[in-house]
Amino acid sequence: MADTSVRIDGNTLRLPGGVTVRFIRTLRLPETGTHPLPPGLGEFPVRRVADHADRVPEAMRARGGVMLPVYLREAMWLNFAGTAEPAALQVGVGKVCAVSGRPWSDGLSRDPQNYVVLPRQPWLDGINSGTGTVRQFVAVPLGMGATVEGQVTGEEVWGGVQLRAFPLNDEELATWRAVERRRLERTRFAAPPPYGAPMPGGPMAAPGGFGAPMPVAAPPATGGHGVPMPMAAPPAPGSPPPAPGAAPAAGAAPASPRRAPAAMGLGVGGSMRQEVYEDDRPLTHWSSRPAGRVFVHLVTPPEWHRITGEAPPPSPVDRAAYTRAGLPWFDYYDQDAEDLRAPDALQAVKPVGDWLGDDHEPWQPPAPGQVRPLRDAPGRPVEDGDW
């Protein structure tokens, strides 16, 4: 019997069939214009809900899965580097498909396509919003109508992120593995690449590529003339803030009565140049049954501290400081792939600024030299629940 367990390896989610997903912190883009891909600024920490069953809200415990902390208006993207074999991955935001704009479906569809194809799709930074563009994932609370879920369905019930992976069917997977074995055998006898050339595995294998955590502490991050930029996380209500990276104090997260979750979902921010690739396989090549699925809960930093006893990550890095430091942005294009048409439902989604007001942080566009073109297990199983 195939293992359908989802596991956490560090902060990486490993779904059956070899799918790996990491949630990456990043800079939030302005909501006007179209921009290069923002950099990765480290991983969000991910924890199993079941490990904190006595502290999480009842609804979260019932849905199972994992959780991660996110600040209001913080941006993220999903990194699929390390996915070993072909897979079709459904990505839901509040149980609305981030690719098709349709309600969450138990099966794969091609009209419209409701999944991304791995490993061809190396990452997903937002919802499919136009020709060659996506709109950035940005965290907002439920109840305002600002989430993709609220704008598409008229309700905000689920929040979070939902993932479901489908492998190739048995026949196609056996064929793919045989071809891959022959390719690897040929590679073994080929001349080694010159020193400094990209290694097999794509752009993610090279240090400092799109998705590699950048040295956030290295640049001169200032909030004005000689004033250090505030990097510490805000305190939990009624308590002093923990030092970033410090071990939780004894009794920092005492068991307390479960309460309604400070539920967060994903709205959209600025537009960036990124394609969502069309599947070039027939739908029949994929298994009719998913290999595994997981519900990813988004919680506020105070809730994270209350539930886990861990200090949340420091607040997001200031965009102007990042640009002043000369750190890179990225452009990626695959000339052999076809971009999916954006569905009307997702093109109509309005950015979170329409609900939360204008972003008063000044925007500093990257200099031309900062934009880099990019060429073409472990742990106990995550407990699933009812969703």
Side-chain angles (χ1 to χ4, degrees):
M1 182 175 177
D3 183 9
T4 60
S5 301
V6 177
R7 299 176 186 271
I8 299 176
D9 181 3
N11 294 318
T12 299
L13 280 181
R14 296 193 179 276
L15 281 72
V19 171
T20 66
V21 182
R22 292 187 299 145
F23 297 86
I24 307 296
R25 308 183 80 206
T26 189
L27 300 180
R28 182 163 46 86
L29 299 173
E31 294 174 358
T32 57
T34 300
H35 306 275
L37 299 174
L41 298 176
E43 303 168 348
F44 285 93
V46 178
R47 303 290 181 266
R48 294 181 350 130
V49 168
D51 289 340
H52 305 280
D54 59 335
R55 296 186 180 97
V56 299
E58 194 66 41
M60 185 184 294
R61 188 163 68 102
R63 292 170 185 171
V66 300
M67 58 184 170
L68 60 84
V70 64
Y71 289 88
L72 174 66
R73 265 184 162 173
E74 184 170 12
M76 71 166 59
W77 52 274
L78 277 58
N79 182 327
F80 309 130
T83 297
E85 297 183 335
L89 181 68
Q90 291 179 314
V91 180
V93 286
K95 295 189 73 171
V96 171
C97 178
V99 176
S100 71
R102 299 286 181 87
W104 187 255
S105 169
D106 288 338
L108 299 180
S109 169
R110 286 292 288 274
D111 189 20
Q113 182 175 314
N114 65 350
Y115 57 94
V116 292
V117 182
L118 308 185
R120 163 155 266 176
Q121 190 81 40
W123 43 71
L124 186 66
D125 286 59
I127 64 169
N128 183 19
S129 61
T131 303
T133 64
V134 300
R135 296 210 72 155
Q136 190 174 41
F137 292 132
V138 176
V140 286
L142 302 189
M144 301 178 62
T147 62
V148 176
E149 176 186 2
Q151 294 187 59
V152 172
T153 71
E155 297 181 305
E156 290 183 320
V157 177
W158 299 100
V161 177
Q162 297 77 40
L163 303 171
R164 184 191 279 121
F166 290 77
L168 291 171
N169 64 41
D170 292 344
E171 181 180 351
E172 293 298 327
L173 184 57
T175 300
W176 180 88
R177 285 173 173 170
V179 171
E180 186 68 3
R181 278 195 300 271
R182 290 194 292 272
R183 185 188 69 81
L184 291 174
E185 288 171 0
R186 290 194 301 271
T187 304
R188 284 172 50 199
F189 298 104
Y195 180 76
M199 298 299 291
M204 300 303 301
F210 178 63
M214 302 304 298
V216 180
T222 60
H225 180 65
V227 181
M229 187 175 74
M231 293 294 289
S239 64
S256 58
R258 297 190 187 100
R259 58 190 182 188
M264 301 283 281
L266 292 180
V268 301
S271 177
M272 70 191 79
R273 292 185 289 276
Q274 183 177 92
E275 295 177 318
V276 180
Y277 297 132
E278 183 177 352
D279 189 5
D280 57 6
R281 288 184 173 89
L283 190 61
T284 54
H285 283 196
W286 299 107
S287 172
S288 60
R289 291 189 174 185
R293 68 173 196 166
V294 63
F295 197 112
V296 182
H297 302 268
L298 309 180
V299 300
T300 64
E303 278 288 281
W304 175 265
H305 180 255
R306 182 190 69 81
I307 292 170
T308 67
E310 300 178 32
S315 58
V317 175
D318 173 79
R319 296 186 308 231
Y322 187 95
T323 296
R324 285 196 303 270
L327 296 173
W329 296 65
F330 300 91
D331 242 330
Y332 180 83
Y333 177 67
D334 187 337
Q335 64 181 358
D336 297 324
E338 293 293 330
D339 181 45
L340 280 176
R341 177 189 176 278
D344 294 338
L346 295 185
Q347 290 189 66
V349 172
K350 297 184 182 348
V352 298
D354 286 16
W355 277 263
L356 302 179
D358 293 337
D359 183 0
H360 299 295
E361 182 181 300
W363 169 245
Q364 275 196 345
Q370 284 181 268
V371 180
R372 294 182 183 175
L374 296 177
R375 67 175 185 83
D376 214 37
R380 287 174 292 166
V382 171
E383 293 184 11
D384 194 16
D386 297 327
W387 51 277

